């Protein structure tokens, strides 16, 4: 059994610690953990490896010729533009996905949940491609998947059957998309999604872009279906802009219900629209994480795969500047994100898998504000990127 000790580190609480790893897991962590042959952390900040809870690996254009994003009025226009752009890209999706995973790993991400498009015009080809990616990367990055009906679920005949087939192939989560705004049949979509998840023992992750009262009503209906199905702790709502558009009283009522049902939320903290108020929802007990969503794709050329930058953007979006704010932002990209996607044996504690990042920073706030390069990334106790 390989035993490696890392010493002279600073944890997110500012404590000087060492970490002893054995057999790929953390055997001991804390002050006084040291060894004669320890790897010197040189006073670096150490944090659990980053977790990306929401990305679209099959849409990535990283490494392709420059592709500016469009400016269109409707979500459907973005979807249609994406179909045209991806149809013209000659590089297989697994190659493009591998490029961005290389970037993500060197920045410190070792766990990813990616949505995969499923639609009649592409069948299950993207699912098959992402399965090849998972096999190629299994020793470096944990990959979980969501079968995602980007073009509509009920409104595109044949998509529901493909979603079912993707889950049968091994995709872990049933995806949905704007039950009202895209499908025009909220209960029909939610009934299919939750029935399939219960039948197959899968989770649920629903993109919700619909705004205002319509969006908030759908959050409440998702909660109804989650409660009725018994899928406590296995449901995520992604984006949920509507929660930043409603009264504080209604937000609190919805937030308490989400917390009770352990329904998690994901925000990319965009600058152009209201977003769920992370601080208040966290106070209510909601698990709310941050994710990249699209990176260098047909929607936008922005993004670089660095979850520390995503934590920075979350802090920036909410004007956070205190030490406790920066720790909250970091949690959105580490332990909270891990909890949101059901990642087990995660963190800086004995018994957790030894995945962590050593960053040349004096504390969490310093790391988020500067996003230093040259991070040392440890996977199962071994440095795999430095």
């Amino acid at each position: 059994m390989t035993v490696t000790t890392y010493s002279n580190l600073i944890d997110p609480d500012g404590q000087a610690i060492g970490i002893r790893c054995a057999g790929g897991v953390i055997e001991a962590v804390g002050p006084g953990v040291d060894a004669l042959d320890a790897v010197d952390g040189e006073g670096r900040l150490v944090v659990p490896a980053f977790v990306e809870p929401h990305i679209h690996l099959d849409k990535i254009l990283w490494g392709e010729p420059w592709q500016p994003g469009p400016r269109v009025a409707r979500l459907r226009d973005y979807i249609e533009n994406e179909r045209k752009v991806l149809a013209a890209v000659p590089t297989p999706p697994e190659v493009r996905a591998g490029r961005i995973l290389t970037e993500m790993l060197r920045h410190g991400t070792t766990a990813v949940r990616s949505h995969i498009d499923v639609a009649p015009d592409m069948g299950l080809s993207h699912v098959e491609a992402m399965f090849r990616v998972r096999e190629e990367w299994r020793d470096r990055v944990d990959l979980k998947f969501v079968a995602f009906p980007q073009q509509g679920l009920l409104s595109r005949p044949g998509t529901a059957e493909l979603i079912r087939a993707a889950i049968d192939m091994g995709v872990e989560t049933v995806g949905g998309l704007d039950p009202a705004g895209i499908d025009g049949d909220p209960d029909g979509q939610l009934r299919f999604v939750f029935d399939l998840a219960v039948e197959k023992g899968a989770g649920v992750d629903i993109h919700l872009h619909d705004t205002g009262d319509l969006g908030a009503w759908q959050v409440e209906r998702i909660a109804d279906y989650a409660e009725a199905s018994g899928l406590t702790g296995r449901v995520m709502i992604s984006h949920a802009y509507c929660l930043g558009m409603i009264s504080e009283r209604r937000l609190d009522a919805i937030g308490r219900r989400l917390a009770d049902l352990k329904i998690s939320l994901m925000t990319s903290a965009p600058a152009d629209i209201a977003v769920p108020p992370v601080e208040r929802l966290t106070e209510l007990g909601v698990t709310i994480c941050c994710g990249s969503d699209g990176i260098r794709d047909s929607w936008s050329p922005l993004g670089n795969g660095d979850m520390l930058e995503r934590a920075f953007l979350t802090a920036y979006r909410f004007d956070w500047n205190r030490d406790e704010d920066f720790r909250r932002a970091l949690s959105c990209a580490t332990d909270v994100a891990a909890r949101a996607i059901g990642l087990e044996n995660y963190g800086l504690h004995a018994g957790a898998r030894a995945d962590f990042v050593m960053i040349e920073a004096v504390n969490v706030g310093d790391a988020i504000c500067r996003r230093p390069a040259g991070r040392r990334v440890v996977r199962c106790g071994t440095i795999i990127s430095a």
Side-chain angles (χ1 to χ4, degrees):
M1 178 185 297
T2 301
V3 178
T4 306
T5 301
Y6 298 86
S7 64
N8 194 16
L9 297 166
I10 304 297
D11 73 8
D13 294 323
Q15 185 176 41
I17 64 167
I19 302 175
R20 184 168 64 249
C21 309
V25 302
I26 296 176
E27 186 176 78
V29 58
V33 175
D34 206 343
L36 291 176
D37 59 349
V39 177
D40 187 359
E42 301 174 340
R44 293 180 179 226
L45 174 72
V46 61
V47 301
F50 295 113
V51 176
E52 170 58 85
H54 185 117
I55 192 173
H56 296 264
L57 288 176
D58 60 328
K59 304 175 188 287
I60 295 290
L61 299 177
W62 195 273
E64 298 299 301
W66 173 255
Q67 174 73 46
R71 177 169 287 184
V72 296
R74 303 179 306 161
L75 179 66
R76 291 182 184 276
D77 296 327
Y78 279 104
I79 294 171
E80 184 57 32
N81 179 66
E82 177 185 84
R83 292 178 67 186
K84 295 176 181 177
V85 170
L86 289 181
V89 175
T91 309
E94 58 263 46
V95 174
R96 293 183 275 110
R99 292 171 182 163
I100 195 63
L101 284 172
T102 299
E103 292 296 306
M104 296 170 74
L105 180 62
R106 77 178 183 87
H107 288 309
T109 295
T110 64
V112 174
R113 182 153 89 174
S114 175
H115 296 256
I116 310 173
D117 278 13
V118 173
D121 58 349
M122 64 183 66
L124 297 168
S125 61
H126 284 205
V127 175
E128 293 164 350
M130 291 306 103
F131 275 25
R132 291 192 290 272
V133 172
R134 175 150 67 185
E135 178 59 26
E136 180 181 350
W137 283 80
R138 62 188 178 89
D139 293 330
R140 291 167 287 174
V141 176
D142 291 321
L143 285 169
K144 296 177 179 288
F145 296 130
V146 182
F148 179 50
Q150 175 71 89
Q151 300 172 27
L153 200 161
L154 303 182
S155 59
R156 286 298 305 274
T159 302
E161 291 77 12
L162 289 168
I163 294 285
R164 174 180 289 275
I167 300 301
D168 285 338
M169 289 171 63
V171 172
E172 297 90 349
T173 303
V174 182
L177 170 67
D178 292 332
I182 292 294
D183 270 350
D185 184 358
D187 282 303
Q189 184 186 126
L190 294 176
R191 188 179 307 114
F192 171 83
V193 167
F194 279 90
D195 283 353
L196 180 59
V198 170
E199 177 188 342
K200 302 296 184 179
V204 169
D205 190 334
I206 297 176
H207 280 60
L208 184 60
H209 307 93
D210 289 338
T211 58
D213 288 336
L214 176 61
W217 174 79
Q218 288 173 86
V219 172
E220 293 167 337
R221 291 302 287 143
I222 291 169
D224 291 340
Y225 277 89
E227 184 173 17
S229 66
L231 290 176
T232 300
R234 302 199 65 186
V235 177
M236 178 182 283
I237 304 174
S238 294
H239 302 306
Y241 307 131
C242 58
L243 295 182
M245 303 175 176
I246 57 179
S247 69
E248 184 176 334
R249 180 178 179 180
R250 189 174 186 188
L251 174 71
D252 283 4
I254 290 175
R256 291 189 183 97
R257 190 151 187 235
L258 295 176
D260 289 344
L261 295 171
K262 297 182 180 178
I263 297 173
S264 60
L265 300 174
M266 188 291 305
T267 181
S268 59
D272 64 334
I273 193 169
V275 295
V278 174
E279 190 168 353
R280 179 56 184 157
L281 288 165
T282 299
E283 290 171 354
L284 293 169
V286 180
T287 296
I288 178 164
C289 58
C290 63
S292 297
D293 195 17
I295 295 177
R296 188 66 66 87
D297 58 17
S298 67
W299 299 61
S300 169
L302 299 176
N304 61 7
D306 183 0
M307 286 304 293
L308 190 58
E309 181 168 286
R310 186 55 51 182
F312 161 78
L313 291 170
T314 303
Y316 187 84
R317 178 68 174 79
F318 293 103
D319 194 28
W320 291 343
N321 52 37
R322 301 171 301 168
D323 283 340
E324 54 265 42
D325 295 330
F326 291 126
R327 287 193 292 271
R328 183 188 306 114
L330 178 71
S331 290
C332 287
T334 54
D335 55 288
V336 175
R339 183 165 67 249
I341 67 170
L343 193 63
E344 298 179 347
N345 302 321
Y346 174 88
L348 293 179
H349 60 81
R353 192 169 68 186
D355 285 17
F356 49 88
V357 188
M358 295 175 279
I359 304 170
E360 195 173 327
V362 298
N363 56 33
V364 171
D366 180 38
I368 287 177
C369 291
R370 287 195 300 112
R371 282 95 65 208
R375 301 167 205 172
R376 297 179 184 174
V377 183
V378 175
R379 167 78 165 178
C380 293
T382 301
I383 295 176
I384 61 171
S385 181

